[in-house]
Amino acid sequence: MTDLRDDTEITESLIRSLLRDQHPDLAELPLREVEGGWGNQMWRLGDELAVRIQRMDTDFDHQLKERQWLPLLAPRLPLPIPVPMRSGAPSERFPKMWTVMTWVPGLPLDQASITRSEHAADTLAAFLRALHVAAPADAPADTLRGGHPSDLTNGFDDFLGSVDVDVIGSDVAAVRAVWEDAVAAPAWTGPPVWVHGDLHPANVVVEDGTLAGVVDFGDLFAGDPAVDLAAAWLLLPMGAAARFFTVYANADDAAIRRARGLAVLKCLFLMLMGQNGDRGLPGGKQAWGPAGRTALDRVLADVGHESASTPDA
C-alpha cells in the first residue's frame, strides 16, 4: 500500500476518485465539503447522503462500530442519527477508513444556538432515555471514557494545567472542587447501557432553535450513562439542566455529581481545542474554545445555585 501521510489532503477530487473506485453509482452526485469535523471530515453527497472520512482519527474501530451498531440503534431513537449505507475500504489511493452515511439536516451547535430551551431539554432527555438501555454482551467497551472520574484524574490535571490562565481566570478552585466532588461520588452500579460518549456542540445539530439530530458515534460504548448526562451543561442553555434532569428522571444524585465533573473535563478539552500555539491540541477548532468556556460557566452557575440553596448545617 502506498505510504500516505496522516495529513493527506482531503479534496473533492480525492473523494470522487474513491467513489469511482468503490461505489461508482454515487460518484457523480453533487459533492461539497461540510465545515467542521476534527477526527473525521464530512462531505455532503447529493441531498440525502454524506461521506464521513477519517482526518485526525486513524483508528478503524470507530467507523467499524458505527457500521455495526447504528443501523440497530437508529429505529428506536427519537432524533435522526447518521446510518451507514455504504462502506469505503482503505486503499492505495487513501489508506484510511470512510463510510457513506445518511445526512442529518441541521447546523452543528458550535455554529448555531438553541433558543427553545425547554423544548431542547425535553428533546435531549427523551433521546438519552431511549439510548440509555442495557447494551448487549458484545457491545464495545471503553475503559478510558467509560471509567469513573477517579480513573481520569491525570487527564483532568493535565487539561486544567494546560488551559490559558486568561481563559480559566479565577475559576480554577471552583473547577477543581466540582471535579473532586465527582471523584468522591459513588460509582455506577447498574448494567452497562448504550452511551454516545462524545456529546458536545459539534456533535449535535440544531434546527428551528432546538436539537434536531445527533451525529458522530465513533466513541459509542456500553457503560455509565453519566458520560452522556454531562450534555445537560455542554449543550443546553443556562438554567436548562434542571428541567433536563427532571424529564430524564433516571439520574440519582451520584450520577449528577459524576456527570457534572465529566462536563467540566469536556469543557477543558473544548477550551484546549480552541487554544492557539503549543499549548493547544492538534487539529484544533477555534469555535470550540468559546463553546467550552460558556458550558463551564453553566456548570459553575449551577453549582453556585445549589450551594446558595443549601441551608447551613
Side-chain angles (χ1 to χ4, degrees), residues 12 34 92 162 202 207 214 231 291 295-296 312:
E12 178 180 348
V34 178
E92 290 187 0
S162 298
E207 280 191 321
V214 179
L296 183 62
D312 293 336

Side-chain angles (χ1 to χ4, degrees), residues 241-313:
R243 181 181 179 98
F244 164 82
F245 283 110
T246 297
V247 176
Y248 180 81
N250 291 340
D252 60 13
D253 178 68
I256 294 173
R257 290 166 63 194
R258 295 193 306 276
R260 190 182 287 121
L262 294 169
V264 164
L265 184 66
K266 182 65 77 172
C267 290
L268 295 175
F269 166 79
L270 293 173
M271 291 157 70
L272 284 171
M273 285 292 293
Q275 197 161 281
N276 294 321
D278 295 338
R279 292 166 63 86
L281 294 176
K285 298 290 181 180
Q286 288 194 344
W288 292 12
R293 178 65 244 196
T294 300
L296 183 62
D297 290 339
R298 294 193 287 259
V299 177
L300 298 182
D302 269 11
V303 174
H305 175 75
E306 288 185 4
S307 299
S309 302
T310 302
D312 293 336

Side-chain angles (χ1 to χ4, degrees), residues 167-274:
V167 175
I168 198 72
S170 61
D171 290 325
V172 172
V175 168
R176 189 170 292 280
V178 171
W179 181 254
E180 291 175 353
D181 183 61
V183 168
W188 170 251
T189 57
V193 301
W194 281 118
V195 175
H196 177 281
D198 197 23
L199 288 176
H200 64 73
N203 287 343
V204 298
V205 296
V206 173
E207 280 191 321
D208 298 325
T210 190
L211 291 176
V214 179
V215 298
D216 192 350
F217 284 76
D219 290 307
L220 180 74
F221 68 93
D224 180 359
V227 175
D228 285 349
L229 299 182
W233 298 280
L234 290 163
L235 304 180
L236 299 176
M238 183 76 77
R243 181 181 179 98
F244 164 82
F245 283 110
T246 297
V247 176
Y248 180 81
N250 291 340
D252 60 13
D253 178 68
I256 294 173
R257 290 166 63 194
R258 295 193 306 276
R260 190 182 287 121
L262 294 169
V264 164
L265 184 66
K266 182 65 77 172
C267 290
L268 295 175
F269 166 79
L270 293 173
M271 291 157 70
L272 284 171
M273 285 292 293

Side-chain angles (χ1 to χ4, degrees), residues 8-164:
T8 301
E9 185 179 6
I10 300 171
T11 63
E12 178 180 348
S13 176
L14 174 65
I15 301 290
R16 288 205 185 278
S17 67
L18 295 175
L19 289 168
R20 290 189 184 106
D21 287 347
Q22 300 185 36
H23 301 288
D25 59 312
L26 303 179
E28 303 310 317
L29 289 174
L31 184 67
R32 64 178 176 83
E33 183 179 355
V34 178
E35 182 182 352
W38 183 60
N40 295 269
Q41 199 174 79
M42 296 289 289
W43 290 72
R44 184 83 178 268
L45 181 64
D47 292 331
E48 299 179 353
L49 300 173
V51 176
R52 177 166 162 80
I53 186 166
Q54 287 186 311
R55 178 177 172 251
M56 301 295 291
D57 186 14
T58 57
D59 187 345
F60 289 176
D61 286 346
H62 294 158
Q63 290 205 21
L64 292 176
K65 280 194 297 185
E66 291 181 326
R67 293 177 186 179
Q68 179 179 0
W69 295 108
L70 294 192
L72 302 177
L73 292 174
R76 61 178 180 79
L77 296 176
L79 284 176
I81 68 171
V83 178
M85 303 299 290
R86 304 281 186 93
S87 297
S91 64
E92 290 187 0
R93 195 183 299 275
F94 187 74
K96 298 181 186 178
M97 188 78 69
W98 55 281
T99 304
V100 178
M101 314 183 83
T102 55
W103 172 252
V104 179
L107 276 177
L109 182 54
D110 64 333
Q111 302 173 28
S113 62
I114 290 174
T115 57
R116 298 164 62 194
S117 177
E118 292 186 355
H119 188 281
D122 294 352
T123 300
L124 179 63
F127 177 84
L128 290 182
R129 282 180 62 94
L131 178 63
H132 290 168
V133 298
D138 59 341
D142 189 325
T143 56
L144 179 60
R145 291 176 186 265
H148 188 272
S150 60
D151 300 325
L152 306 173
T153 294
N154 287 341
F156 169 81
D157 289 338
D158 288 345
F159 283 1
L160 185 59
S162 298
V163 174
D164 284 343

